Every structure is written in structure tokens, then in C-alpha cells.
Amino acid sequence: TTIGLKGPREALRAADGRRMHTSLVEDLPAALGVKSIEEIIPIVYSSMARAEIAALAPVVGQAATGGDEVASNVILGAGRELGLMAAAVIRRLGMDEYAGCVSAVGGVLESNEMVLWAMRDRVEELVPGWSVARGKYPPVAGAILIAARTANGASIDKVIHNIGSGLQEVPS
């Protein structure tokens, strides 16, 4: 949602001259089926649900990938913020003295390399020894592993193998 809100905000700033031009001025209204950036104000800020706002993130991501500087700043800022949150959790858990890997899963992290790079850079800067990588399994696998850990005699390795095998059998 952050990208979905910040993209329109930056496009509105560009439209009224407070920011350099961005292709978002044209791309976002087109994505929402309206004619001008000014028409998105009531749509985004009053009638859109959280999921609909989040659905604007790919529009901002495509503009960033196409070289739009304003969109790139929005995307990179979101990645840095995710890295900051991950580092805060690592520190809060007292794990900043250890090495580890944050598993990046979810919409924007899986669909936009720029977000992942920015998150990785921030985590590695703030908690040396830690890295960020794409998750190997969907988030539900973590819940299964936690459940398996509490079962008597359960082998985590076997559970991971079974999850991997099951995922390979599911058609895309």
C-alpha cells in the first residue's frame, strides 16, 4: 500500500510543478480508467480499498523499471523501509550479533527486483552478517515448520522435503 499511495502523491506533485515530471502522471490515470491525474484524488483517498491501492504498485514498478526517476525513488524508498523494519526486528530479537538470512516473500518483493535490492542493501548496512534472499517456499510453509517443530519426533528436514515435493507437483 505504501507504493500504491506514494506513487499517486508524487504524480500529483509533478502535475502541479512541485516535482520533476514523471510518467506516473499519465500511467496512474490510465490504470484507473480516468483521464487526468487530478481525477484520481477522490478515487485513491476515499473510495479505494487497501488491496486496490496496493494494486497500483505494479504501475509504479513498471515506471521505475522503465527508468522513471520519481517512480524509482518511490520503489527504492519502499525497499529501504522494508530493510529498516527487518533490521529493527533482528535487533529487537537480540539476533544482530549473529549471521542470518531474511526470507523475502510477498507481492512487491517477488515482483520487483529494485525493492528487493534496496531492502537487501539496507539490511546488510544496518545488521552486518545478515542478508536478504527470495523465499524458497510460500509463507504458509513457515507455519507448517513451526507446527512440525512442536510434534514429537518430527524431522524438519523431512517436512521441508515434503513441502518442496508438494509444491513441484502443483500446476502453475
Side-chain angles (χ1 to χ4, degrees), residues 110-165:
E110 293 174 12
S111 66
N112 193 300
E113 288 293 320
M114 291 175 72
V115 175
L116 187 64
W117 296 332
M119 180 183 180
R120 183 179 295 131
D121 287 348
R122 183 54 61 97
V123 167
E124 290 173 358
E125 169 194 344
L126 297 174
V127 280
W130 281 80
S131 62
V132 175
R134 286 200 193 285
K136 188 172 182 181
Y137 302 108
V140 69
I144 293 168
L145 290 173
I146 291 168
R149 196 179 300 159
T150 62
N152 288 334
S155 163
I156 297 295
D157 292 333
K158 185 173 182 175
V159 173
I160 290 172
H161 173 73
N162 290 341
I163 292 170
S165 298

Side-chain angles (χ1 to χ4, degrees):
T1 9
T2 301
I3 295 170
L5 284 174
K6 193 153 187 176
R9 187 177 309 134
E10 295 303 311
L12 287 163
R13 287 182 176 153
D16 68 17
R18 292 181 287 151
R19 162 95 47 223
M20 72 175 70
H21 181 74
T22 171
S23 63
L24 297 175
V25 172
E26 295 82 30
D27 297 347
L28 290 169
L32 291 172
V34 296
K35 294 179 182 166
S36 72
I37 193 68
E38 291 80 10
E39 291 181 63
I40 73 167
I41 296 169
I43 296 169
V44 172
Y45 293 105
S46 64
S47 64
M48 287 183 84
R50 186 175 174 92
E52 293 171 311
I53 293 170
L56 294 176
V59 176
V60 179
Q62 288 171 353
T65 301
D68 186 288
E69 189 175 337
V70 172
S72 293
N73 288 336
V74 170
I75 293 293
L76 293 172
R80 285 189 293 268
E81 184 63 26
L82 288 169
L84 184 62
M85 286 190 282
V89 170
I90 291 166
R91 287 178 178 152
R92 185 104 187 212
L93 292 172
M95 298 176 71
D96 49 326
E97 297 298 319
Y98 302 97
C101 184
V102 175
S103 185
V105 293
V108 74
L109 287 165
E110 293 174 12
S111 66
N112 193 300
E113 288 293 320
M114 291 175 72
V115 175
L116 187 64
W117 296 332
M119 180 183 180
R120 183 179 295 131
D121 287 348
R122 183 54 61 97
V123 167
E124 290 173 358
E125 169 194 344
L126 297 174
V127 280
W130 281 80
S131 62
V132 175
R134 286 200 193 285
K136 188 172 182 181
Y137 302 108
V140 69
I144 293 168
L145 290 173
I146 291 168
R149 196 179 300 159
T150 62
N152 288 334
S155 163
I156 297 295
D157 292 333
K158 185 173 182 175
V159 173
I160 290 172
H161 173 73
N162 290 341
I163 292 170
S165 298
L167 290 175
Q168 292 171 1
E169 295 172 13
V170 176
S172 304

